[in-house]
Amino acid sequence: MSRRVADQPLIFARGLVKRFGDFTAVDGIDLEVAPGEAFGFLGPNGAGKSSTMRMIGCVSAPTSGELRILGMDPVRDGATIRGRLGVCPQLDNLDPDLTVRENLTTYARYFGLSRAEGRRRADELLEFVQLSDRANGKVEPLSGGMKRRLTIARAMVNEPDLVLLDEPTTGLDPQARHLLWERLFRLKQRGTTLVLTTHYMDEAEQLCDRLVVMDGGKIVAEGSPRSLIQSYSTAEVVELRFPDGLDGNAGYAAKLDGVGERVDPLPDRVLVYADDGDSAVAEVHRRGLTPASVLVRRSTLEDVFLHLTGRTLVD
Amino acid sequence: MMTTLVASRVSPGRVSAVISRNVGALRSGPSYWIVLVSGFFEPLLYLLSIGVGVGALVGDLTVGGRTMSYAAFVAPAMLAVSAMSGALAETTFNFFFKLKYMKTFEAVLATPVRPIEVAMGELTWAMVRGSVYTGIFLGVMVALGLTTPGWALAAFPATALVGLAFGAVGMWISTLMRGWQDFDLMSTGQFALFLFSGTFSPVQNYPLGVEILIQLTPLYHAVELVRGLCTGVLGVGLAGHAAYLAVMAVGGLWLAARRMEKRLCV
């Protein structure tokens, strides 16, 4: 018996591979994204996130493996699928020859919408991304955050079933990021399925119901932000900085053996993973160690990533 | 088979959406208009300086049994050049800029629009630009008594074909370009065609080997087709020239779309 359309995953991948010559960018990943979900790819640069997004966006054919988008084959039905996707690329490719509003109305025409319908949606979307007052201006003078909001508005012009956002807030200042997150959160509340890539842990924690951690073209972990932290980290993390840390952190790590569940020496600090940070700090002092600074914080996805790959996410 | 395959997948609505983007860009400001206007004047200046000026020294010319003023001989060639350079400017400089720097087509290809539809829309736009040039140029020719209104009307669609042919091949070349330095090579080639394609003197004046070489190059066929119609000398040869240009248009378009797909859809 076939499943109802509504129950079908919007994205379904099995053993998905993308190679460029000898280089394997995506190395056999499995995915399922359900309607209404906010799904994230978390990973450092070069992990294979963007290549995966381009395959999902039907602009790049998979080298091998199975991929179904909205229940269709991205190679054969590419144009039909793209008609129901909204894409916000990593680098802005807005049209500098057109006004802010024309960027949306022109884009609407590529989806076969009438001019009148394009104008109606453009005005509505400019309102939504708070750019109505710039409608007749050029794109170039807009700030980075405004451009990104306009790109997101452009991605919404065909009322897509699935919105793909490739590093939506990379390069934006904190204020612009928060405004963008707030708009994306609203989209999510309206029931739009969001798929995004990011190398910011806070972004993934804010926006994603579920995410996969990618490294070297492979998925190394999958789950909700909370469950990933629970499975791969402890509730709290103690960050210790020692005055002679740069050379001695490995030595300090040895002295800290047994404090908390795990100890990770980094170049600039030593991380102690413990469910109770304060008692771990007490134990550090009891052992006669005197760090220059002590910070007890909640565990984040950064810690998950560090644990899984041995590297930090953003260098 | 290939053409039916392509035709079945092409949506006229999406092609016209690609064109309408360029109409929008036209409203963007004076810079595009300056490029447009300057492109028109070059062949006109050649017509006036060489066709009329040098023509006064040369006197009348007899080609294929017909005698005409030198200006009447040069004018159709400048008309063909104008169709060529109008379309080429659009599908080389402008197209390359959109392809490589503005990333316009990456944004377009994320929608249902396909590479062949982008190529067709851009080529149509290039042909329109070339036809604006040739329409005005034909008006000038009629005003100077270098052709009749009737033959001017007959020549106009031929100049559109010239625009399609050079526009399509230019677009294909653009997809192969590595950077702006390659455009210098192209300009040199374009200038050589401009000088030797039977533009300023009948090709029969050259040694036979050179004449055959010229007859293989595209602007020669454009000039011959347009000159035949402007001067009212018709013959089966014109169909051959038109066929040459049609092959250029279809082949260039197909290669351009394929290259664009290889370049952008990886």
Side-chain angles (χ1 to χ4, degrees), chain A residues 18 20 54 59-61 79 82-83 87 93-98 102 106-107 109-111 115 138 154, chain B residues 14 16-18 20-21 24-25 27-28 102-104 106-114 264-266:
Chain A
K18 183 71 192 184
F20 300 101
R54 285 176 59 80
V59 288
S60 162
R82 288 195 301 271
V87 179
N93 53 20
L94 295 163
D95 199 324
D97 288 345
L98 305 175
E102 283 171 341
T106 303
Y107 217 65
R109 302 260 294 144
Y110 298 140
F111 291 94
R115 283 175 201 281
K138 287 274 171 190
R154 194 183 68 177
Chain B
R14 294 199 287 256
S16 76
V18 174
S20 78
R21 181 259 160 216
R27 289 195 298 264
S28 70
M102 272 164 62
K103 310 279 177 203
T104 312
E106 276 174 40
V108 176
L109 293 176
T111 74
V113 180
R114 296 184 168 94
L264 299 178
C265 304
V266 289

Side-chain angles (χ1 to χ4, degrees), chain A residues 91-96 140, chain B residues 92-106 177-181 183 263-264:
Chain A
L91 298 171
D92 287 315
N93 53 20
L94 295 163
D95 199 324
E140 221 35 68
Chain B
T92 57
F93 289 101
N94 288 0
F95 183 89
F96 184 73
F97 195 68
K98 285 187 265 191
L99 178 74
K100 181 150 181 173
Y101 296 98
M102 272 164 62
K103 310 279 177 203
T104 312
F105 302 137
E106 276 174 40
M177 294 264 180
R178 296 156 297 180
W180 295 111
Q181 71 280 2
F183 280 93
R263 202 166 156 153
L264 299 178

